[in-house]
Amino acid sequence: MSTDLSKSAEKVQSALNKFGFELNVVELSESTRTAQEAADTIGCQVSQIAKSLIFKCKNSQKPLLIIASGTNRVNEKIIKQYIGEKLEKADADFVLENTGFVIGGIPPIGHKNSITTLIDEDLMQYEEIWAAAGTPHAVFKLTPKILTEITQGNIVSIK
């Protein structure tokens, strides 16, 4: 664990500090790029990993952030019912352009642009969850309630 944060992780820590909660980014020597890697590195269940997935809305071309439990796959047909349009896969350039972060370390907050956010209801069952913090080696711990508050996300079923 490092006390000096990389530039991207520091950007996330600065965004977290604005909310008034005691949320601390930690950078780890092991990868947290995937939900499984993160769970193995942290020592928690894969389902406690809050993975931030960016999609592109087909008609509006706007980004959509879905924060999913690490074991869940997004059912795009269900999401279409919530947002009223189909989803497309967002490529790395679209993700970077809209979030300011690279795939594999996308945090739930601190994005370059405002992004509509949906939160997987399965995350609500845990006392603590872990989210990426700007790099494939940085994470932070929080509660589902705090996640909902800081992202202003809507809690939905994603599967």
Side-chain angles (χ1 to χ4, degrees):
M1 188 167 24
S2 172
T3 52
D4 293 327
L5 297 176
S6 65
K7 186 177 177 184
S8 288
E10 182 58 46
K11 189 164 56 167
V12 175
Q13 185 64 65
S14 293
L16 289 170
N17 291 344
K18 295 176 184 172
F19 294 105
F21 295 107
E22 187 69 29
L23 302 172
N24 297 304
V25 171
V26 292
E27 286 193 297
L28 306 161
S29 56
E30 300 294 319
S31 175
T32 58
R33 184 176 187 84
T34 68
Q36 184 65 61
E37 287 176 349
D40 291 347
T41 299
I42 294 162
C44 68
Q45 296 176 47
V46 176
S47 54
Q48 287 178 274
I49 302 299
K51 56 184 180 181
S52 295
L53 306 169
I54 300 291
F55 291 88
K56 183 191 287 188
C57 297
K58 187 171 177 73
N59 297 334
S60 66
Q61 297 292 293
K62 290 184 178 180
L64 175 69
L65 170 61
I66 299 177
I67 304 172
S69 172
T71 53
N72 289 347
R73 185 171 167 84
V74 175
N75 181 328
E76 294 178 23
K77 290 179 181 173
I78 287 177
I79 301 304
K80 181 184 176 192
Q81 294 173 354
Y82 294 121
I83 65 169
E85 61 181 307
K86 285 185 175 183
L87 296 179
E88 294 181 333
K89 185 174 172 76
D91 65 23
D93 290 338
F94 181 84
V95 172
L96 181 60
E97 177 184 317
N98 284 281
T99 67
F101 298 97
V102 296
I103 293 173
I106 300 168
I109 50 91
H111 305 132
K112 194 172 172 180
N113 299 320
S114 177
I115 301 176
T116 298
T117 302
L118 300 178
I119 300 171
D120 184 350
E121 67 183 4
D122 286 357
L123 288 169
M124 299 300 120
Q125 67 185 299
Y126 298 103
E127 287 186 33
E128 65 181 33
I129 55 177
W130 293 83
T135 80
H137 294 274
V139 293
F140 66 99
K141 179 173 64 173
L142 72 166
T143 67
K145 183 178 183 218
I146 291 173
L147 176 67
T148 304
E149 188 171 328
I150 67 176
T151 63
Q152 296 297 295
N154 292 318
I155 301 166
V156 299
S157 172
I158 66 158
K159 54 184 189 169

